[in-house]
Amino acid sequence: MKYNRTYNFSAGPATMPEEVLEEVRDEMMNYKGSGMCVMEMSHRSKVYQQIIDEAEQDLRDLMGIPDNYKVLFIQGGATLQFSMIPMNLMKNGKAVYIETGAWSKKAIAEAKKVGEVIVAASSKDKNFTYIPDCSDLDIPEDTDYVYICENETIHGVTWNKLPNTKGHVLVSDQSSMFLSKPCNVSNYGIIYGGVQKNIGPAGLAIVIIREDLIRDDLGDLPIYLQYKIHADNGSMYNTPNCWAIYVCGKVFKYLKKIGGLEEMERINIDKAKVFYDFLDQSKLFKGTVVPEARSLMNIPFVTGDPDLDAEVIAYTKKAGFENLKGHKSVGGLRASIYNAMPKDGVIALVDCLKKFEAEH
Ligand SMILES: *Cc1c(COP(=O)(O)O)cnc(C)c1O
């Protein structure tokens, strides 16, 4: 492998396209004749304005974001959005949340500090290994929004069919599936995510929000927590995460170049199939999630014996594969195979696990 890099299966921050890292390296000392690095540049400069404008436009092109949606670059990661969403959207003080794993649970806990939270469906009964049926939920008329975590990074479950919100606004945390496949933005009121899973460097959330949800009657809210201040100032009310926006912009261009999100989805399905096919035929390893809800991005799996799991983790690490330990709340192992993980990496990992299985 070039640069002696390892196959990194981290859930986030996670592996990046090498081509993007190389470009960043090449521009490190002198960005396009500006005489400085992007991290040394004023965010009010013309050069930087072009970087953020292009990043937004390329994201709009990739996802086909309609004109009546704003794209916001906000610091504080996805976690700050757990609070900002209820603070900005709870007009009636009521929202419906679907509980499908660790990240929706955290969002629920924060929303409860702001208003009434109705957990209309949950997969807690089976340790978050499936997506509950949400075709006919009990949703009060005055609900401000319905919230889902569309890909649960820790539990490895994903929504293949969106919930029937009965006309209410849908809010989705796409952190760990952002840009992994095409997305019909107009199905949502807000799509948001931290970028360090599937796009770029940590410390930045992208919020795609329908304009009519941006309120101007929230003057009492701390200013940084109002979507309006970010929207009115082109995500530059204060100094944004200039560096992360720059690198994300490069990833957007890279995705456009390889053929956009349809092509990315094709690659991701093909890649995940290698791993799930292995799990389905293995006598030692098994996936923890029902087939209909399996994530293309995060694959938790176990041997059924925690000591043996620990042995596998040590074995794979020795063979050069990093970050396969499952999250402590689930145990076992987890392979995160985001956009930037090459198929060769998945094949190599499967070969290593097969070898372990043969030896045990
Ligand atoms: C990682 C993650 C978060 C938290 O992201 P931060 O940027 O660390 O705040 C929230 N939701 C999901 C689905 C995640 O994977």
Side-chain angles (χ1 to χ4, degrees):
M1 244 171 133
K2 216 166 148 191
Y3 306 115
N4 201 20
R5 283 160 57 80
T6 184
Y7 285 125
N8 174 12
F9 293 89
S10 169
T15 192
M16 299 270 301
E18 275 189 3
E19 209 179 300
V20 168
L21 297 179
E22 284 171 335
E23 266 184 45
V24 168
R25 173 200 61 198
D26 292 346
E27 292 172 352
M28 185 66 72
M29 302 312 286
N30 186 346
Y31 176 80
K32 293 189 178 167
S34 65
M36 55 184 95
C37 174
V38 174
M39 66 177 102
E40 301 172 302
M41 218 173 250
S42 165
H43 59 297
R44 306 289 177 203
S45 65
K46 256 201 181 123
V47 191
Y48 193 76
Q49 190 63 51
Q50 192 180 348
I51 291 174
I52 192 171
D53 288 347
E54 273 186 34
E56 175 175 344
Q57 190 54 52
D58 286 331
L59 181 65
R60 285 184 177 276
D61 295 345
L62 270 176
M63 294 182 75
I65 300 173
D67 288 345
N68 64 325
Y69 285 75
K70 291 277 188 209
V71 173
L72 309 177
F73 299 104
I74 305 179
Q75 304 193 46
T79 299
L80 183 63
Q81 298 307 312
F82 294 166
S83 308
M84 275 181 79
I85 287 161
M87 285 172 160
N88 282 267
L89 260 53
M90 276 193 180
K91 248 185 177 159
N92 301 323
K94 191 182 289 185
V96 163
Y97 278 66
I98 316 298
E99 187 186 43
T100 50
W103 290 113
S104 47
K105 268 171 75 172
K106 284 198 164 168
I108 288 168
E110 291 310 301
K112 279 182 174 167
K113 296 175 183 172
V114 181
E116 184 188 346
V117 171
I118 298 160
V119 178
S122 171
S123 53
K124 197 179 180 174
D125 59 339
K126 290 187 180 148
N127 198 24
F128 304 118
T129 52
Y130 70 106
I131 296 291
D133 176 11
C134 292
S135 56
D136 187 18
L137 298 171
D138 214 351
I139 303 176
E141 215 27 66
D142 60 346
T143 297
D144 290 310
Y145 59 92
V146 176
Y147 180 102
I148 63 170
C149 174
E150 207 165 329
N151 186 78
E152 288 277 6
T153 321
I154 291 173
H155 289 86
V157 286
T158 206
W159 290 72
N160 286 311
K161 185 171 179 279
L162 294 176
N164 177 1
T165 65
K166 303 187 171 169
H168 292 89
V169 168
L170 179 63
V171 175
S172 176
D173 177 357
Q174 290 198 352
S175 296
S176 50
M177 58 173 286
F178 231 139
L179 306 181
S180 65
K181 59 179 189 176
C183 170
N184 186 354
V185 176
S186 52
N187 287 335
Y188 305 82
I190 293 182
I191 296 167
Y192 79 96
V195 303
Q196 75 276 22
K197 310 291 164 66
N198 210 14
I199 309 179
L204 173 68
I206 296 177
V207 179
I208 301 164
I209 179 170
R210 215 175 63 206
E211 273 169 356
D212 60 287
L213 298 172
I214 300 173
R215 286 163 61 186
D216 51 16
D217 61 342
L218 291 170
D220 287 342
L221 209 56
I223 198 142
Y224 199 78
L225 302 180
Q226 302 172 24
Y227 285 127
K228 188 174 161 48
I229 204 75
H230 297 279
D232 286 353
N233 292 280
S235 299
M236 293 215 261
Y237 172 70
N238 69 336
T239 318
N241 188 333
C242 302
W243 182 254
I245 294 167
Y246 157 69
V247 180
C248 287
K250 292 217 168 287
V251 173
F252 302 154
K253 284 195 195 300
Y254 166 80
L255 289 171
K256 282 174 90 170
K257 198 181 85 183
I258 66 163
L261 301 187
E262 279 85 10
E263 178 60 10
M264 198 63 247
E265 180 182 36
R266 192 194 63 72
I267 293 169
N268 285 331
I269 289 173
D270 181 52
K271 203 165 66 186
K273 188 174 184 308
V274 172
F275 206 85
Y276 285 119
D277 282 353
F278 160 70
L279 288 179
D280 287 343
Q281 61 77 48
S282 170
K283 293 196 168 53
L284 182 62
F285 298 103
K286 65 174 200 315
T288 55
V289 171
V290 299
E292 313 81 71
R294 284 172 165 178
S295 170
L296 291 179
M297 301 277 103
N298 312 98
I299 308 182
F301 60 105
V302 296
T303 63
D305 170 0
D307 292 338
L308 196 56
D309 288 344
E311 246 186 80
V312 183
I313 294 159
Y315 186 91
T316 53
K317 194 173 169 64
K318 212 166 156 221
F321 304 97
E322 292 290 338
N323 293 311
L324 283 158
K325 195 173 190 294
H327 190 270
K328 56 187 184 297
S329 62
V330 176
L333 292 91
R334 172 178 49 167
S336 293
I337 53 169
Y338 295 119
N339 285 356
M341 172 58 65
K343 186 179 178 183
D344 283 351
V346 179
I347 293 172
L349 174 61
V350 163
D351 286 346
C352 177
L353 294 170
K354 278 183 176 160
K355 191 156 164 268
F356 182 92
E357 185 167 346
E359 290 168 13
H360 290 75

